[in-house]
Amino acid sequence: MGRALKFNIFRYNPQDPESVPHMETFTLEETERMTLFIALTRIREEQDPSLQFDFCCRAGICGSCAMVINGRPGLACKTLTKDLPDEITLLPLPVFKLIGDLSVDTGTWFRAMNEKVGSWIHTSKTFDPSQEEERMDNALAEEIYELERCVECGCCVASCGTANMRDEFMGAVAMNRIARFMLDPRDERDTDDFFEIIGTDEGIFGCMGLLACEDVCPKNLPLQDQLGILRRKMGWNALKNIFKSKKA
Ligand code: SF4
Ligand code: F3S
Ligand code: FES
């Protein structure tokens, strides 16, 4: 016999005028290697077909299954029930628009953020598929790849006090995007262009250094390092511009 797990799950359907936000309790016998994905699927199949939650890859790749698990944002498909106590409370991620129960719309938020930071390679070169792509130094490619691993799950945003208080704050995930494109030699934007985007209260100056973003990132992205590096680079860049204007 496995443990009897008690799930307290947030229920609310904003599409239904009769629906009111409340918690609902389900019990389930734990099985070996049970993840929250398996548990929620069983609850939906065996106890309540109306339960809403998101899953796609079940492998920590698509980022769609993020939710607040016993007070901490995380990926449900990568969370084993054996690592949790007998009583498990599941809430939808804050900050994002609620679709219903545990399902939120992270796509709209991430699209807006990606548009704000210009999250693509800005180049005047035209792409010719018949030509080989220019080679990049391996160490640099790996450094860029490290920052590319974000799955846009939203855990860092949901855990951030600033993002919870201020709709316009772009979050550590946006600084990570900027850091990634600053490294890329194919991107023709210069340092001033990048700092114009994040040198605001919506960007790096809005960050209060609360650190939760890095603590909860399921891909272990070095978000704190990026925030620190960008702050230092911004300081040097501001000094450089002051010297330049004095010389002129
Ligand atoms: Fe998720 Fe980490 Fe990307 Fe934030 S930086 S969206 S926590 S993968
Ligand atoms: Fe938020 Fe991370 Fe800054 S939690 S306040 S973005 S250090
Ligand atoms: Fe894709 Fe969990 S279902 S990350």
Side-chain angles (χ1 to χ4, degrees):
M1 277 280 282
R3 284 187 302 165
L5 298 177
K6 184 172 159 191
F7 290 88
N8 304 313
I9 301 180
F10 176 84
R11 305 299 309 270
Y12 177 50
N13 180 0
Q15 310 299 326
D16 176 0
E18 306 283 297
S19 175
V20 283
H22 64 285
M23 299 301 286
E24 206 168 323
T25 301
F26 300 90
T27 49
L28 205 61
E29 189 189 324
E30 188 175 36
T31 51
E32 213 182 324
R33 306 284 308 159
M34 180 182 253
T35 62
L36 285 179
F37 162 73
I38 295 171
L40 285 167
T41 305
R42 273 191 52 200
I43 291 172
R44 182 154 71 185
E45 282 173 359
E46 297 166 13
Q47 302 185 40
D48 187 343
S50 71
L51 181 63
Q52 297 186 66
F53 54 90
D54 297 318
F55 285 92
C56 191
C57 71
R58 291 178 282 162
I61 297 166
C62 72
S64 63
C65 67
M67 57 187 70
V68 180
I69 305 159
N70 282 355
R72 187 184 170 96
L75 296 181
C77 72
K78 297 298 284 177
T79 304
L80 291 164
T81 53
K82 78 172 176 54
D83 296 329
L84 298 171
D86 299 352
E87 188 162 347
I88 300 166
T89 299
L90 302 176
L91 300 168
L93 289 187
V95 179
F96 305 103
K97 185 179 165 214
L98 181 74
I99 294 173
D101 302 335
L102 301 173
S103 171
V104 293
D105 170 11
T106 48
T108 303
W109 190 97
F110 273 94
R111 187 186 174 105
M113 181 278 290
N114 280 312
E115 282 172 359
K116 271 186 207 161
V117 304
S119 200
W120 57 90
I121 292 170
H122 291 238
T123 177
S124 50
K125 289 186 189 155
T126 45
F127 175 64
D128 179 354
S130 66
Q131 296 294 309
E132 250 185 50
E133 210 179 331
E134 266 175 54
R135 282 201 65 79
M136 188 188 286
D137 174 63
N138 278 350
L140 177 60
E142 272 175 27
E143 221 181 315
I144 293 173
Y145 173 72
E146 172 68 6
L147 305 184
E148 265 297 343
R149 294 182 302 106
C150 171
V151 293
E152 300 197 345
C153 63
C155 289
C156 58
V157 181
S159 70
C160 171
T162 313
N164 273 277
M165 287 185 294
R166 297 188 29 220
D167 289 346
E168 71 285 3
F169 181 56
M170 293 191 276
V173 65
M175 313 314 150
N176 184 65
R177 295 307 289 159
I178 289 285
R180 178 251 174 270
F181 287 103
M182 281 180 87
L183 281 178
D184 199 316
R186 296 166 298 180
D187 199 309
E188 290 164 5
R189 284 176 287 182
D190 66 20
T191 318
D192 286 335
D193 294 330
F194 287 116
F195 290 158
E196 202 170 307
I197 301 168
I198 52 159
T200 63
D201 272 356
E202 290 181 26
I204 201 94
F205 296 129
C207 167
M208 299 188 287
L210 298 173
L211 312 182
C213 49
E214 180 162 320
D215 285 352
V216 300
C217 176
K219 306 310 275 185
N220 298 318
L221 281 164
L223 300 174
Q224 284 313 305
D225 289 355
Q226 297 318 314
L227 289 162
I229 290 167
L230 286 174
R231 277 207 188 97
R232 279 198 298 278
K233 280 188 178 165
M234 282 189 77
W236 285 116
N237 199 53
L239 274 179
K240 192 189 78 192
N241 287 340
I242 290 169
F243 285 131
K244 249 201 230 161
S245 66
K246 280 195 173 160
K247 269 189 191 171

Coordinates of all heavy atoms in Angstrom, one line a residue, residues 21-60:
P21 N -13.9 31.2 -6.4 CA -12.6 30.6 -6.1 C -12.7 29.8 -4.7 O -13.3 30.3 -3.8 CB -11.7 31.8 -5.9 CG -12.3 32.9 -6.6 CD -13.8 32.7 -6.5
H22 N -12.3 28.6 -4.7 CA -12.3 27.8 -3.5 C -11.2 26.7 -3.6 O -10.7 26.4 -4.7 CB -13.7 27.2 -3.2 CG -14.1 26.2 -4.3 ND1 -14.5 26.6 -5.5 CD2 -14.1 24.8 -4.3 CE1 -14.9 25.5 -6.3 NE2 -14.6 24.4 -5.5
M23 N -11.0 26.0 -2.5 CA -10.0 24.8 -2.5 C -10.9 23.6 -2.5 O -11.9 23.5 -1.8 CB -9.1 24.9 -1.3 CG -8.2 26.1 -1.3 SD -7.1 26.3 -2.7 CE -5.9 25.0 -2.4
E24 N -10.4 22.6 -3.2 CA -11.1 21.3 -3.2 C -10.1 20.2 -2.8 O -9.0 20.2 -3.3 CB -11.7 21.0 -4.6 CG -12.9 20.1 -4.5 CD -13.7 20.1 -5.8 OE1 -13.8 21.2 -6.5 OE2 -14.1 19.1 -6.2
T25 N -10.6 19.2 -2.1 CA -9.7 18.2 -1.6 C -9.9 16.8 -2.3 O -11.1 16.4 -2.5 CB -9.8 18.0 -0.1 OG1 -9.5 19.3 0.5 CG2 -8.8 17.0 0.5
F26 N -8.9 16.2 -2.7 CA -8.9 14.9 -3.4 C -7.9 14.0 -2.6 O -6.9 14.4 -2.2 CB -8.6 14.9 -4.9 CG -9.4 15.9 -5.7 CD1 -9.1 17.2 -5.8 CD2 -10.6 15.4 -6.3 CE1 -9.9 18.1 -6.6 CE2 -11.4 16.2 -7.1 CZ -11.0 17.6 -7.2
T27 N -8.3 12.7 -2.6 CA -7.3 11.8 -2.0 C -6.9 10.7 -3.1 O -7.8 10.4 -3.9 CB -7.8 11.1 -0.7 OG1 -9.1 10.6 -1.0 CG2 -7.8 12.0 0.5
L28 N -5.7 10.2 -3.0 CA -5.2 9.3 -4.0 C -4.1 8.4 -3.3 O -3.4 8.9 -2.5 CB -4.5 10.2 -5.1 CG -4.4 9.6 -6.5 CD1 -5.8 9.3 -7.0 CD2 -3.7 10.6 -7.4
E29 N -4.1 7.2 -3.7 CA -3.0 6.3 -3.2 C -1.7 6.5 -4.0 O -1.8 6.5 -5.2 CB -3.4 4.9 -3.2 CG -2.4 4.0 -2.5 CD -2.7 2.5 -2.7 OE1 -3.9 2.1 -2.8 OE2 -1.7 1.7 -2.8
E30 N -0.6 6.8 -3.3 CA 0.6 7.0 -4.0 C 1.1 5.7 -4.7 O 1.1 4.7 -4.1 CB 1.7 7.5 -3.0 CG 3.0 8.0 -3.7 CD 3.9 8.6 -2.6 OE1 3.9 8.1 -1.5 OE2 4.6 9.6 -3.0
T31 N 1.6 5.9 -5.9 CA 2.3 4.7 -6.6 C 3.7 5.0 -6.8 O 4.2 6.2 -6.7 CB 1.6 4.5 -7.9 OG1 1.6 5.7 -8.7 CG2 0.2 3.9 -7.8
E32 N 4.5 4.0 -7.1 CA 5.9 4.2 -7.3 C 6.2 5.2 -8.4 O 5.5 5.1 -9.5 CB 6.6 2.8 -7.6 CG 8.0 2.7 -7.1 CD 8.6 1.4 -7.5 OE1 7.9 0.4 -7.5 OE2 9.8 1.4 -7.7
R33 N 7.2 6.1 -8.2 CA 7.6 7.1 -9.3 C 6.5 8.0 -9.7 O 6.4 8.5 -10.8 CB 8.2 6.4 -10.5 CG 9.3 5.4 -10.3 CD 10.6 6.0 -10.0 NE 11.1 7.0 -10.9 CZ 12.0 8.0 -10.7 NH1 12.5 8.1 -9.5 NH2 12.3 8.8 -11.6
M34 N 5.5 8.2 -8.8 CA 4.4 9.1 -9.1 C 4.8 10.5 -9.2 O 5.5 11.0 -8.3 CB 3.3 8.9 -8.1 CG 2.1 9.8 -8.4 SD 0.8 9.6 -7.0 CE -0.4 8.7 -7.9
T35 N 4.5 11.2 -10.3 CA 4.7 12.6 -10.4 C 3.4 13.3 -10.2 O 2.3 12.7 -10.2 CB 5.3 13.0 -11.8 OG1 4.3 12.6 -12.8 CG2 6.6 12.3 -12.1
L36 N 3.5 14.7 -10.1 CA 2.2 15.4 -9.9 C 1.4 15.3 -11.2 O 0.2 15.4 -11.2 CB 2.5 16.9 -9.6 CG 3.0 17.1 -8.1 CD1 3.2 18.6 -7.9 CD2 1.9 16.6 -7.1
F37 N 2.1 15.2 -12.3 CA 1.4 15.0 -13.6 C 0.5 13.7 -13.5 O -0.6 13.7 -13.9 CB 2.4 14.9 -14.8 CG 1.8 14.3 -16.0 CD1 0.8 15.0 -16.8 CD2 2.0 13.0 -16.4 CE1 0.2 14.4 -17.9 CE2 1.4 12.4 -17.5 CZ 0.5 13.1 -18.2
I38 N 1.1 12.6 -13.1 CA 0.4 11.4 -13.0 C -0.8 11.5 -12.0 O -1.9 11.1 -12.3 CB 1.4 10.2 -12.6 CG1 2.4 10.0 -13.7 CG2 0.6 8.9 -12.3 CD1 3.5 9.0 -13.3
A39 N -0.5 12.1 -10.9 CA -1.5 12.3 -9.8 C -2.7 13.1 -10.4 O -3.8 12.7 -10.2 CB -0.9 13.0 -8.6
L40 N -2.4 14.2 -11.0 CA -3.5 15.1 -11.5 C -4.2 14.4 -12.6 O -5.5 14.5 -12.7 CB -2.9 16.4 -12.0 CG -2.5 17.4 -10.9 CD1 -1.6 18.6 -11.5 CD2 -3.7 18.0 -10.1
T41 N -3.5 13.7 -13.5 CA -4.2 13.0 -14.5 C -5.2 11.9 -13.9 O -6.3 11.7 -14.4 CB -3.2 12.3 -15.5 OG1 -2.3 13.3 -15.9 CG2 -3.9 11.6 -16.7
R42 N -4.7 11.2 -12.9 CA -5.6 10.2 -12.3 C -6.8 10.9 -11.6 O -7.9 10.4 -11.7 CB -4.8 9.4 -11.3 CG -4.1 8.2 -12.0 CD -3.5 7.2 -11.0 NE -4.5 6.8 -10.0 CZ -4.1 6.3 -8.8 NH1 -2.8 6.1 -8.5 NH2 -5.0 5.9 -7.9
I43 N -6.6 12.0 -11.0 CA -7.7 12.7 -10.3 C -8.7 13.1 -11.4 O -9.9 12.9 -11.2 CB -7.2 14.0 -9.5 CG1 -6.4 13.5 -8.3 CG2 -8.4 14.8 -9.1 CD1 -5.7 14.6 -7.5
R44 N -8.2 13.6 -12.5 CA -9.1 14.0 -13.6 C -9.8 12.8 -14.2 O -11.0 12.9 -14.4 CB -8.4 14.8 -14.7 CG -9.3 15.3 -15.8 CD -8.7 16.5 -16.5 NE -7.6 16.2 -17.3 CZ -6.8 17.1 -17.9 NH1 -7.1 18.4 -17.8 NH2 -5.8 16.7 -18.7
E45 N -9.1 11.7 -14.4 CA -9.7 10.5 -15.0 C -10.7 9.8 -14.1 O -11.7 9.3 -14.5 CB -8.7 9.6 -15.5 CG -8.1 10.0 -16.8 CD -6.9 9.2 -17.2 OE1 -6.5 8.2 -16.5 OE2 -6.3 9.5 -18.3
E46 N -10.3 9.8 -12.8 CA -11.1 8.9 -11.8 C -12.1 9.7 -10.9 O -13.0 9.1 -10.4 CB -10.1 8.2 -10.9 CG -9.2 7.2 -11.7 CD -8.0 6.7 -10.9 OE1 -8.0 6.9 -9.7 OE2 -7.1 6.1 -11.5
Q47 N -11.8 11.0 -10.8 CA -12.6 11.7 -9.8 C -13.3 13.0 -10.3 O -14.4 13.3 -9.9 CB -11.8 12.1 -8.5 CG -11.1 10.9 -7.9 CD -10.3 11.2 -6.6 OE1 -10.8 12.0 -5.8 NE2 -9.2 10.6 -6.4
D48 N -12.7 13.8 -11.1 CA -13.3 15.0 -11.6 C -12.8 15.4 -13.0 O -11.7 16.0 -13.1 CB -13.0 16.1 -10.6 CG -13.8 17.4 -10.9 OD1 -14.3 17.5 -12.1 OD2 -14.0 18.2 -10.1
P49 N -13.6 15.1 -14.0 CA -13.1 15.4 -15.4 C -13.1 16.8 -15.7 O -12.5 17.2 -16.7 CB -14.2 14.6 -16.3 CG -15.3 14.4 -15.4 CD -14.9 14.4 -14.0
S50 N -13.6 17.7 -14.8 CA -13.6 19.1 -15.1 C -12.3 19.8 -14.6 O -12.1 21.0 -14.9 CB -14.8 19.8 -14.5 OG -14.7 19.9 -13.1
L51 N -11.4 19.1 -14.0 CA -10.2 19.7 -13.4 C -9.3 20.2 -14.5 O -8.9 19.5 -15.4 CB -9.4 18.7 -12.5 CG -8.2 19.2 -11.9 CD1 -8.4 20.3 -10.9 CD2 -7.4 18.0 -11.2
Q52 N -8.9 21.5 -14.5 CA -8.1 22.1 -15.6 C -6.6 22.2 -15.1 O -6.4 22.8 -14.0 CB -8.6 23.5 -15.9 CG -10.0 23.5 -16.5 CD -10.4 24.9 -17.0 OE1 -9.8 25.4 -17.9 NE2 -11.3 25.5 -16.3
F53 N -5.7 21.7 -15.9 CA -4.3 21.9 -15.7 C -3.6 21.7 -17.1 O -4.2 21.1 -18.0 CB -3.7 21.0 -14.7 CG -4.0 19.5 -14.9 CD1 -3.1 18.8 -15.6 CD2 -5.1 18.9 -14.4 CE1 -3.4 17.4 -15.9 CE2 -5.4 17.6 -14.6 CZ -4.5 16.8 -15.3
D54 N -2.4 22.2 -17.2 CA -1.7 22.2 -18.5 C -0.5 21.2 -18.5 O 0.3 21.2 -17.5 CB -1.1 23.5 -18.9 CG -2.2 24.6 -19.0 OD1 -3.3 24.2 -19.6 OD2 -2.1 25.7 -18.6
F55 N -0.4 20.4 -19.5 CA 0.8 19.6 -19.7 C 1.0 19.4 -21.2 O 0.0 19.4 -22.0 CB 0.5 18.2 -19.1 CG 0.6 18.2 -17.6 CD1 -0.5 18.3 -16.9 CD2 1.9 18.0 -17.0 CE1 -0.4 18.3 -15.5 CE2 2.0 18.0 -15.6 CZ 0.8 18.2 -14.9
C56 N 2.2 19.2 -21.6 CA 2.4 18.9 -23.0 C 3.5 17.8 -23.1 O 3.3 16.7 -23.6 CB 2.8 20.2 -23.7 SG 2.8 20.0 -25.5
C57 N 4.8 18.2 -22.7 CA 5.9 17.3 -23.0 C 6.1 16.2 -21.9 O 6.6 15.1 -22.1 CB 7.2 18.1 -23.1 SG 7.7 18.8 -21.5
R58 N 5.7 16.5 -20.7 CA 5.9 15.6 -19.5 C 7.4 15.4 -19.2 O 7.7 14.4 -18.6 CB 5.1 14.3 -19.6 CG 3.7 14.5 -19.6 CD 2.9 13.2 -19.8 NE 2.9 12.8 -21.2 CZ 2.6 11.6 -21.6 NH1 2.5 10.6 -20.7 NH2 2.6 11.3 -22.9
A59 N 8.2 16.2 -19.8 CA 9.7 16.0 -19.6 C 10.5 17.2 -19.2 O 11.7 17.3 -19.5 CB 10.2 15.4 -20.9
G60 N 9.8 18.2 -18.7 CA 10.5 19.4 -18.3 C 11.0 20.3 -19.5 O 11.9 21.1 -19.3

